[in-house]
Amino acid sequence: MERSHSSSAIRKGNDVTKGGQPALVALGANLPHAGRDPAATLALALDDLSAAGLVPIRTSRMYATPCFPAGAGPDYVNAAAALQVPPGWDATRLLALLHDIEHRHGRTRETRWGMRTLDLDLIAHGDLVLPDRATWDRWHDLPPADQARTAPDALILPHPRLQDRAFVLVPLADVAPDWRHPATGRSVSKMLAALPAAARAEVVPLP
């Protein structure tokens, strides 16, 4: 069941960009860690974000999703959160915190798109397009064959693969369905609806 963490919880529209620069974060895990299953790790990661001052405005349900890429390992548990970012936090500081929390929960960065105990992806930070529109366009338009081989050396926001991934968009639709992409103008709901029905159906809510 969707959880709301605040009396000012986000209800609809681009309200997620009011009152500061809230961030959209995708959470995922497909390996156990310290005797905990992936769902328990995601719950602890949300607690860690709150303890660091990043108040979850809204969190999604948890979903079972096929491993990406297909056949790379066990299926994932995925979720999403809209976070109220404290004043003075820029996207670089936020990303550093996400990486620190990943490390606390056993994440290692040895293989691109490999199995992991915790993955915290910064999907968007308010209406920022980083590092600039031209660079964002280049990574957004990167051919699929190049996506697995190359990684940017700077933070790209919004996440350039956002529109392609049901395992991100389905949970995001729980927390910010009407958030509009600052570069394309498309809402989360519209990006999700544009995906093949089979891809959407693969993302299944956990009991």
Side-chain angles (χ1 to χ4, degrees), residues 28-31 76 107-108 111-119:
N30 73 331
L31 295 177
Y76 272 81
R107 170 72 185 273
T108 59
T111 304
R112 183 162 168 78
W113 292 349
M115 296 184 290
R116 57 205 64 182
T117 57
L118 179 63
D119 188 29

Side-chain angles (χ1 to χ4, degrees), residues 21-70:
Q21 286 285 326
L24 301 179
V25 172
L27 302 90
N30 73 331
L31 295 177
H33 177 65
R36 294 185 293 269
D37 64 23
T41 299
L42 296 197
L44 286 175
L46 289 168
D47 291 341
D48 289 343
L49 289 166
S50 294
L54 298 170
V55 179
I57 302 169
R58 175 168 283 187
T59 58
S60 74
R61 294 167 285 181
M62 292 192 185
Y63 293 86
T65 68
C67 188
F68 179 83

Side-chain angles (χ1 to χ4, degrees), residues 108-198:
T108 59
R109 294 179 176 273
E110 298 173 353
T111 304
R112 183 162 168 78
W113 292 349
M115 296 184 290
R116 57 205 64 182
T117 57
L118 179 63
D119 188 29
L120 299 176
D121 270 342
L122 182 55
I123 300 300
H125 190 199
D127 58 0
L128 297 177
V129 177
L130 296 177
D132 54 67
R133 181 58 189 266
T135 303
W136 185 89
D137 284 341
R138 180 166 60 86
W139 283 97
H140 174 266
D141 298 338
L142 194 69
D146 293 335
Q147 294 172 22
R149 295 197 303 263
T150 59
D153 56 9
L155 177 60
I156 309 296
L157 287 180
H159 193 293
R161 305 270 68 82
L162 166 62
Q163 67 286 337
D164 302 329
R165 297 180 173 175
F167 66 86
V168 173
L169 288 171
V170 171
L172 275 182
D174 283 350
V175 302
D178 298 325
W179 175 82
R180 291 187 179 277
H181 195 296
T184 68
R186 300 170 71 201
S187 69
V188 168
S189 292
K190 287 187 178 296
M191 287 186 279
L192 179 58
L195 292 179

